Amino acid sequence: MKKISLTGIKPTGLLHIGNYFGAIKPALELARDYDARYFIADYHALNIIKDPRELAANIRQVAAGWLAAGLDPDKVIFYRQSSIPEIFELTTQLMAFTAKGLMNRAHAYKSAVQENIKNNADLDAGINMGLFTYPVLMAADIILFDADVVPVGKDQVQHIEMAQDIVQAVNFNYKSEVLKVPQALVQENVGVVPGLDGRKMSKSYGNAIPLFCDEKTLRKLIMRIVTNSQAVEEPKDPATSQIYLLYQLFADEEEERSLANRYREGGMGWGEAKEELFRAANRELGPLRTRFNEIMANPAELDAILRRGAEKARPIATATVRRFRKAAGIE
Ligand code: ADP
Ligand code: TRP
């Protein structure tokens, strides 16, 4: 039997190429070897996004994005967190085994408190209980589906460790393996995709290239990549150029070598390097964009895919909650 891989995608904004190379592509590759369960963490996004139209649009775009990138809903169980009420029952069950002190130590909560200290604000300002208990909901997402591994970025490892702590508290109390202990799977070979300004590409920095933007926008954004003032004739170092780093993501080895040589020889200006990047990026993203637009144009089909995913997920969810109830004496 294949091991189970599960991950959640928070629909908090438009997908960008950092998400694609850092999360989507590796997760889809993993889905070949694992029994994969991927979901849209819409209740996690609710902690941040309070505008209903914005949240609804994000949910659809992120779901369509994963499908356009190649997620096969016949092979991967793909669903919305909000379609699985058992997640919320398990959250309540896990709350009883989660030390408040554990939540006090969560990075996201701690940095919100630090920000308040810095701004001389009340320590609790702007912090809702959803943010405070975020790791419990995330633990429930994972534990409910008996995940063996959880592919995540380094920033999420603490949350997986908290899920392990919570499972251990439950299993210790009932002296049996009621719940499965999950492991984080951090892909070490996935690099950080640089943004237009050279910092990590992130929606919060306003330096992102949206994954499904139209061709004109893609070109315009690439032309905006910040460069130094080296003249056309000067030899350039590919390793320190974010144009080159981005190019590597889209090009084959031969193309990479050829552009690196042109950098080192001199005689190529930044404008020309950007044109090369645009060509390679558009070649890979063009078909993705077309699929994305097709999916977005057919909301009934998208809803049906997510509904079928939820139907496959529910029986697994019900079994876990039942197991807990039985162990706890709530039947
Ligand atoms: P953002 O920084 O834009 O808010 P998220 O935190 O929502 O992105 O990240 C979603 C997923 O995409 C995570 O798995 C994260 O590791 C990955 N990711 C985000 N930005 C990058 C990047 N610039 N390079 C590589 N991976 C990234
Ligand atoms: N917290 C994750 C993030 O910010 C999203 C997430 C929610 C998740 N539930 C999950 C990831 C369960 C893995 C497993 O990216």
Side-chain angles (χ1 to χ4, degrees):
M1 224 168 62
K2 281 186 181 172
K3 289 206 163 189
I4 298 164
S5 149
L6 173 141
T7 201
I9 305 114
K10 219 167 37 181
T12 43
L14 290 187
L15 293 173
H16 55 69
I17 62 177
N19 300 139
Y20 180 61
F21 288 103
I24 301 177
K25 258 191 147 179
L28 293 179
E29 274 160 29
L30 211 65
R32 289 197 218 119
D33 302 324
Y34 285 83
D35 182 352
R37 296 158 187 192
Y38 295 161
F39 69 95
I40 308 290
D42 42 9
Y43 269 114
H44 275 110
L46 180 65
N47 293 321
I48 305 160
I49 303 179
K50 299 298 196 289
D51 176 338
R53 257 188 265 161
E54 186 188 347
L55 185 54
N58 282 345
I59 292 168
R60 304 195 74 77
Q61 296 199 22
V62 171
W66 277 75
L67 293 166
L71 186 148
D72 178 351
D74 291 327
K75 302 219 171 85
V76 175
I77 305 184
F78 187 52
Y79 54 95
R80 289 168 62 156
Q81 182 185 40
S82 55
S83 306
I84 316 292
E86 290 78 12
I87 292 177
F88 313 106
E89 180 168 356
L90 184 61
T91 299
T92 299
Q93 294 167 335
L94 299 182
M95 289 276 189
F97 290 84
T98 305
K100 175 174 174 285
L102 191 67
M103 299 297 97
N104 290 342
R105 290 195 289 278
H107 298 316
Y109 168 69
K110 267 175 45 181
S111 73
V113 174
Q114 280 309 317
E115 195 60 27
N116 284 338
I117 293 173
K118 208 178 83 194
N119 298 332
N120 263 330
D122 185 280
L123 290 189
D124 293 330
I127 300 174
N128 57 48
M129 285 303 288
L131 174 70
F132 187 61
T133 60
Y134 186 110
V136 192
L137 179 57
M138 179 158 162
D141 292 331
I142 297 168
I143 295 162
L144 192 65
F145 291 100
D146 305 316
D148 293 291
V149 297
V150 186
V152 281
K154 283 195 190 69
D155 61 317
Q156 296 295 316
V157 170
Q158 190 199 33
H159 288 147
I160 315 299
E161 288 166 356
M162 290 181 165
Q164 294 170 341
D165 285 356
I166 299 169
V167 169
Q168 272 147 5
V170 171
N171 290 351
F172 179 78
N173 183 72
Y174 298 119
K175 300 193 175 38
S176 74
E177 298 289 308
V178 184
L179 306 172
K180 196 191 272 181
V181 183
Q183 304 297 332
L185 190 72
V186 180
Q187 263 138 338
E188 300 293 348
N189 56 350
V190 174
V192 170
V193 176
L196 301 176
D197 57 0
R199 290 188 292 171
K200 172 186 181 255
M201 186 178 289
S202 167
K203 57 180 168 280
S204 356
Y205 299 157
N207 65 355
I209 301 178
L211 188 52
F212 303 111
C213 65
D214 61 40
E215 199 171 316
K216 227 171 108 198
T217 310
L218 179 64
R219 192 154 194 290
K220 206 172 75 198
L221 290 172
I222 287 176
M223 294 304 151
R224 263 188 22 211
I225 294 175
V226 176
T227 54
N228 62 21
S229 54
Q230 278 181 298
V232 171
E233 58 280 3
E234 280 181 71
K236 300 174 178 66
D237 178 14
T240 56
S241 155
Q242 69 245 32
I243 303 173
Y244 186 77
L245 297 178
L246 288 168
Y247 185 74
Q248 282 182 310
L249 299 167
F250 297 107
D252 63 32
E253 271 177 44
E254 168 94 41
E255 291 171 319
E256 264 181 52
R257 232 176 301 126
S258 152
L259 189 67
N261 286 337
R262 288 175 68 194
Y263 263 77
R264 292 192 192 102
E265 282 160 8
M268 184 187 62
W270 293 125
E272 228 177 305
K274 288 177 178 177
E275 280 300 342
E276 291 295 339
L277 170 59
F278 168 71
R279 246 197 304 277
N282 198 44
R283 182 180 62 193
E284 177 155 349
L285 301 181
L288 248 76
R289 182 193 303 136
T290 307
R291 271 205 302 280
F292 177 78
N293 290 334
E294 282 164 7
I295 298 167
M296 288 299 282
N298 194 344
E301 174 65 16
L302 179 57
D303 287 341
I305 289 173
L306 291 167
R307 205 170 40 242
R308 280 199 297 276
E311 278 162 17
K312 284 192 250 173
R314 287 292 295 282
I316 308 169
T318 314
T320 309
V321 165
R322 226 182 257 144
R323 224 161 53 230
F324 183 97
R325 280 177 163 243
K326 191 155 185 264
I330 302 176
E331 277 190 86

